[in-house]
Amino acid sequence: MSRAESPTGAWALDVSPPREGVVTRALLAAFAGVVALWPYIPVVQAGPWSFVISTLIFVVALAGIVVRTMLARRSAVARELSALLVQVAASVALLTAMLLPQTALLGVVPTPATLIAFGELATQAAAEVYNGSAPLQDTLALRSMLGAAFAVVIILIDHLVAQRLALLAIITVTVVGALPMIITLGDPNVVWFVVLAVLVLLLLRSSARRDRRSARRTSAAVTAGVGAAAVAATLIVVPGLPVSANWMVPGAGVTVDASLRLGDDLRRPNPTQVMSLATTSETAPYLRIATLSRFTGEVWRPDTSDTQPVSEGFGDPEWNDELTGTDRLTSIRVLGLSSSRLPVPFPAERIVGVSTGWEVMTSNRTVLSEVADASGRDYTVTSAQLQPTFEQITASRAAGGDDDGTDLAELPPVIAQTAMQITAEAASDYEKLIALQNWFRSEFEYSVDTPVEEDFDGTGADAVATFLEVRSGYCVHFAGAFSLMAKTLGMPVRVVVGYLPGQLTDEKRGDEYVYAVMSDQLHAWPEVHFEGIGWVPFEPTATLGVPTAFARAETAGGTGNGPGQTPAPTTAPSAAPTTGPTIAPDDAGAAGTGGGALQRLDPTPVLLVTGGVIVVLLLPLMVRALRRAVRIGRARSGDAASAWAELRDSLVDLGLNPSEAESPRVRASGLSAENDVDPALLAPLVRSIERASYAPTASDAGDLAEPLTGVLHQVRESVDTRSRLKALFAPRSLFAQRPSAVIAA
């Protein structure tokens, strides 16, 4: 009986045509594309980008259905290659028409100008992703990058599903979908994981039930083994992963970068402790993370300049020798905060306790790293407490610093007009700034909800104009408005992002008081540069912080709040002022392109997860290798059943599918004729299994390992490389029920 005529059994080749339709596979691939797209919705602001990618998914699926249906009678290679070419062409035409029609022929056919434009947009998009924080603003550049990337992903998924390569399709969807959660350290999307699980089941069902080569029965032992390994990994490996706390508990971890998007953190219902600090001073200092001097009209971008290792210090002081002050030591322990920047007091002069990899940006005296994370750091900072007098600062001019090139002509007129009106009676630059500070603190209200309700939650010029009209917002809006108004007065200004002083605790470390800094103390405030003094902070935020006020020389030392002085601890807006400027969170609109180095992800969890995935993928190989070694060991002792079982499973792995109707002698004859296996190597195996099956008494078969390994080697050499690789990494014999070792006549 030939193989095609043999009864269908666990090891028979299924020659029936595939029963799954082209449309069904295309719809399954489209569903997989939607699942991969889903996690990107929270990290990119709502806009046309999602419509572009959704249309791509539809077009790719439709193109695949049409081409595969029209070429159903052609060879599989011609059919799939044609589908690929049509899908690529359709995707390029669609992206061109929806994103850059003005550069294309007839608005659809790309030209060299289109390619140049896409290259420029890709560069711009990379900068937006690197400097921004989630949710990113839906810009043309980001839209183009996402469109091109998802076009590749969607086409790849479509062909993987069409070829029933379920495992590769699952890995692709999982990696692409999990990427936003890994990079942003966001909370896990439980619903997405449930939908992903449904997709996995559908893909596996499609692959297992429709693949003509797949086994029809499963091995209970293998199923139990895989289940046990999964449970063990869940209970033993996962708890040991050093992932961020906010992967598992919403709100348990805080991620901070150099943007002004602080609204979400300030509106958190359950603030958590992010730092503790200890100091001998009666009040704790404000801590800064970054400064933002460049205003684009929509967002404040973080400062970027040369850095040097922390071991080389913070650079020369900006203040002259006439200023008096003392040094302050502040010990900081970072707890639930993840950032590529270390919070430090200002002006920092020295830092100890940090490892290599941290750099000092001397222009603003901040500490940052491209390879390390602030979480878990414990360090001590020496900072200056400068106390200029009223006479010194009024005699100084607000000048110096770098010009950020802001086009003041593009600002709404109300900003400059209001600044001129409020400061009309002030004699000096300092007094003008004090007038602005007092006006904001007396005429405005603090609210984290009003900007959202009135739809101006941002630091752009238009948002500032609306804020000046509504007169209600939080620190981001106060700092942004103050800074733009100071710019219209010709003063160098920047916005600082950091934390208010912490809350005094009952704990003490020797003579040091210990303060707890909470997540809702994230803050923003403006600073203005004065000649001979340096950067001076101001506190325009109503009911929050302590307003800047310098005492006259005859009363200095007891009542003034200089730029180096720190306020009494505060945790929330209150009627009683507290010291220190507060940092203004970036608005939702500005956050999309807001600058700042993104937090650098701790590579340990990623490496562990990657290693875990590799182990899972190699699990079949390892199980099969162990089974083979055991059987060869038994064959060496003359176990004919083990030797023949290994030969049979190896044939199944290589796709040769031995028929259960064939006797050992017929099987050996077929291997010799069809696969060029040496009959001399097959003979001892055939004799031993026949004697074991039919002889009334068992006899010593001798060492069967040598002929078995020789046969296996020659069989592997008789098939192509693809079959050998599939047999190695995806052995089909593991996923099918093995028949009895007794061979029927």
Side-chain angles (χ1 to χ4, degrees), residues 66-88:
V66 172
V67 174
R68 292 183 179 109
T69 301
M70 293 178 61
L71 302 180
R73 297 183 179 277
R74 299 292 182 89
S75 67
V77 174
R79 185 169 59 247
E80 292 304 314
L81 182 58
S82 299
L84 175 62
L85 294 177
V86 172
Q87 287 171 331
V88 170

Side-chain angles (χ1 to χ4, degrees), residues 28 64 197 320 428 498 503 584 632 690 712:
L28 184 57
N320 57 40
S428 65
Q503 181 178 3
I632 291 177
E690 288 179 341
L712 296 180

Side-chain angles (χ1 to χ4, degrees), residues 388-428:
T389 64
F390 176 82
E391 289 81 6
Q392 288 174 322
I393 194 154
T394 53
S396 178
R397 192 167 59 94
D402 295 330
D403 182 9
D404 68 346
T406 301
D407 188 357
L408 301 179
E410 298 295 326
L411 299 179
V414 65
I415 298 177
Q417 293 171 1
T418 304
M420 292 294 293
Q421 178 183 352
I422 300 303
T423 62
E425 299 180 1
S428 65

Side-chain angles (χ1 to χ4, degrees), residues 11 219-223 620-634 642 645-646 649 653 731-738:
W11 311 104
S219 169
V222 174
T223 302
L621 180 151
M622 293 185 290
V623 172
R624 184 67 181 89
L626 178 62
R627 176 180 290 178
R628 181 182 300 109
V630 171
R631 286 173 172 170
I632 291 177
R634 292 174 178 173
S642 294
E646 177 57 32
D649 282 0
D653 294 341
R732 294 167 56 203
S733 62
L734 291 179
F735 306 99
Q737 185 68 38
R738 293 185 302 279

Side-chain angles (χ1 to χ4, degrees), residues 80-210:
E80 292 304 314
L81 182 58
S82 299
L84 175 62
L85 294 177
V86 172
Q87 287 171 331
V88 170
S91 299
V92 171
L94 177 66
L95 291 176
T96 303
M98 299 186 74
L99 301 174
L100 293 171
Q102 67 276 14
T103 66
L105 182 63
L106 302 178
V108 177
V109 181
T111 63
T114 307
L115 300 179
I116 294 174
F118 263 112
E120 295 174 350
L121 290 173
T123 302
Q124 180 182 341
E128 291 178 1
V129 172
Y130 181 82
N131 293 322
S133 62
L136 297 170
Q137 187 176 6
D138 179 22
T139 63
L140 177 61
L142 187 62
R143 202 177 309 146
S144 301
M145 183 180 71
L146 287 173
F150 267 96
V152 175
V153 171
I154 294 165
I155 294 175
L156 175 61
I157 292 175
D158 180 84
H159 284 266
L160 291 176
V161 173
Q163 296 301 311
R164 300 184 180 88
L165 299 174
L167 183 59
L168 293 179
I170 292 169
I171 293 175
T172 301
V173 174
T174 303
V175 171
V176 173
L179 196 58
M181 287 179 278
I182 294 175
I183 292 178
T184 63
L185 291 180
D187 296 335
N189 190 331
V190 177
V191 178
W192 179 77
F193 279 105
V194 173
V195 175
L196 176 64
V198 173
L199 173 66
V200 169
L201 293 176
L202 292 175
L203 289 172
L204 291 176
R205 178 181 182 274
S206 173
S207 177
R209 296 189 62 181
R210 304 304 183 184

